[in-house]
Amino acid sequence: MTNPTTTTAGAPTAEPGAHAHWQRNLAVCMFGSFTTIIAMTLLLPFLPLYFEQLGVKDHAAIVQWSGAAYGATFLSAALVAPLWGRLADRYGRKPMLIRASLGMAVAMALIGLAANVWQLVGLRLLAGLLGGYASGSMVLVATQTPKDRTGWALGTMSSAIMAGNLVGPLVGGVLPPLVGIRNTFFAAGAMIFIAFLATAFLIGWAAVPDKRPLVAMLFTGMLLMLANMSIEPIITVYVATLLDDPQRVTMMAGLVMSAAALGSILSASRLGKLADRVGHWNVIVGCLAVSALLLVPQAFVTAGWQLVVLRFLMGLSLGGLLPCIASVIRHNVPERVAGNMLGYSTSAQYAGQVAGPLLGGFVGGHIGMRAVFLGTCVLMAAGAGWNWLAQRAAASSAIR
């Protein structure tokens, strides 16, 4: 659901067309509520054991800390519930569900990293402050479901919430012996992150008639940042293999890292202007293809200056992608959801900034540094091919 419209009295109403996809929204809310409730309750069977791991030895102290940690989440959730409700009325219920699911995913992962009892209790308080997915889902379902199906839909939602309360302690009893207590929290965070993705990308997309251009642009934005960031973890080590003087390594590595940014600065406006004449999608396909070609010689350079030049040229080719991505999205989504979809594009780019260094570091460490460039080349070429096919499909749909 996108931001609500407002009646003359100031009360929020459902977005036009929201009722048409209420069943899908109900399914997403059920899954999200189920997973977040599991995360809230799974620690019951092993919470005392976790406090023992954190250094609490006295039996009475373990029990007291366990009670404090378990109740902390519900205390903070009760305190902020009116605030989240007010913000939902003002900005829309879907943004609140996105906030709650992402916040809970992060909080659960951090609980798995707690180093002492105070951090654990504090993070449980944080989980309550950031949560509220189940209650928000109930309101969203109530406002989007046709009146003659509201009772059934809300009953189904309640069943999902109760199921989470049932399954949570069972999961908390089974997983820790198999994967460990900390990994149990990481697994719970991963499940809630899936709920976050479902909430962000499945609720409200009904307003976009043809989703293929949007999906292609989200993938392209992620790919752009991945390509820029994939060599970051290895660049200093890679440059060191190209130079005889160790004193020059950091300076050359800095030049290599900056060269692509300089190229993008110089080309962004020019490629954007070119895209206005020849088509934004044509420029995207061309930029991705050229970038893929430029990645191949980067894997086989023999001198630092060669890498600087190639990264500069790659920056020139990538500079036009961001404005073209935004333009394609802007021209393929309705006016009322353009801001939402551009926000998704930004999120996809951040995902690329996270995935790039992680993949680059893993591949560089386990396969070899040249494999980072060649692997990124394959991804960029695949992106060019996908955008070419998506462009043709969109053109065919427009003709029909």
Side-chain angles (χ1 to χ4, degrees):
M1 172 178 149
T2 53
N3 287 352
T5 55
T6 305
T7 66
T8 55
T13 61
E15 184 73 27
H19 290 306
H21 297 271
W22 66 271
Q23 290 173 312
R24 181 178 63 186
N25 294 349
L26 172 62
V28 173
C29 288
M30 288 176 61
F31 174 74
S33 299
F34 176 70
T35 54
T36 54
I37 294 299
I38 286 178
M40 297 272 278
T41 58
L42 62 76
L43 81 169
L44 276 172
F46 62 82
L47 187 57
L49 301 179
Y50 198 19
F51 275 111
E52 280 192 278
Q53 287 188 8
L54 295 177
V56 181
K57 302 302 181 184
D58 181 70
H59 181 74
I62 290 174
V63 173
Q64 291 172 0
W65 277 111
S66 297
Y70 187 71
T73 297
F74 301 98
L75 171 64
S76 56
L79 293 175
V80 298
L83 171 63
W84 296 139
R86 190 177 305 116
L87 292 176
D89 288 339
R90 184 172 181 179
Y91 298 109
R93 292 178 177 86
K94 178 183 173 180
M96 291 300 103
L97 295 183
I98 292 175
R99 172 203 56 75
S101 53
L102 182 59
M104 281 288 292
V106 172
M108 291 302 295
L110 290 176
I111 289 173
L113 297 173
N116 56 58
V117 294
W118 291 104
Q119 289 182 10
L120 177 54
V121 174
L123 289 169
R124 287 286 293 176
L125 282 168
L126 178 65
L129 290 172
L130 298 176
Y133 190 99
S135 58
S137 292
M138 292 290 283
V139 178
L140 185 144
V141 169
T143 56
Q144 288 196 346
T145 305
K147 290 183 178 179
D148 60 339
R149 304 297 300 277
T150 301
W152 172 83
L154 292 177
T156 306
M157 273 294 304
S158 296
S159 297
I161 293 172
M162 291 301 103
N165 282 291
L166 169 67
V167 174
L170 295 176
V171 171
V174 171
L175 272 188
L178 298 177
V179 301
I181 290 176
R182 295 185 183 274
N183 287 332
T184 298
F185 285 112
F186 298 151
M191 285 296 295
I192 301 175
F193 187 75
I194 294 173
F196 156 73
L197 294 176
T199 303
F201 293 107
L202 295 181
I203 297 180
W205 276 44
V208 182
D210 184 0
K211 299 173 181 60
R212 289 172 296 184
L214 179 58
V215 172
M217 291 306 100
L218 296 180
F219 173 75
T220 302
M222 182 179 69
L223 199 58
L224 164 63
M225 295 304 171
L226 189 150
N228 270 328
M229 303 297 292
S230 62
I231 75 158
E232 297 295 323
I234 68 164
I235 194 63
T236 302
V237 179
Y238 190 53
V239 167
T241 66
L242 305 174
L243 301 177
D244 296 327
D245 183 4
Q247 301 297 323
R248 296 176 53 221
V249 170
T250 55
M251 183 185 71
M252 183 61 68
L255 289 174
V256 172
M257 293 177 183
S258 300
L262 175 61
S264 294
I265 291 171
L266 296 177
S267 67
S269 60
R270 292 172 175 81
L271 287 175
K273 187 176 181 180
L274 175 64
D276 290 336
R277 295 202 310 268
V278 304
H280 301 95
W281 229 325
N282 290 327
V283 171
I284 289 173
V285 173
C287 286
L288 289 173
V290 171
S291 299
L293 292 175
L294 287 170
L295 280 161
V296 176
Q298 291 178 48
F300 301 100
V301 294
T302 57
W305 68 266
Q306 296 172 354
L307 189 58
V308 172
V309 171
L310 288 169
R311 293 300 290 182
F312 173 75
L313 293 175
M314 187 169 170
L316 288 176
S317 66
L318 292 175
L321 284 181
L322 284 180
C324 289
I325 289 170
S327 296
V328 171
I329 292 175
R330 181 66 186 82
H331 289 107
N332 284 275
V333 303
E335 178 75 27
R336 68 181 186 274
V337 296
N340 258 354
M341 299 304 125
L342 289 170
Y344 290 145
S345 177
T346 301
S347 296
Q349 292 163 31
Y350 282 131
Q353 288 181 300
V354 174
L358 291 175
L359 289 174
F362 180 83
V363 172
H366 290 81
I367 301 176
M369 289 181 285
R370 288 181 175 176
V372 176
F373 296 100
L374 299 177
T376 307
C377 166
V378 172
L379 290 176
M380 298 294 276
W386 187 13
N387 275 277
W388 181 73
L389 293 173
Q391 180 188 23
R392 294 189 63 183
S396 298
S397 298
I399 293 173
R400 290 196 296 269

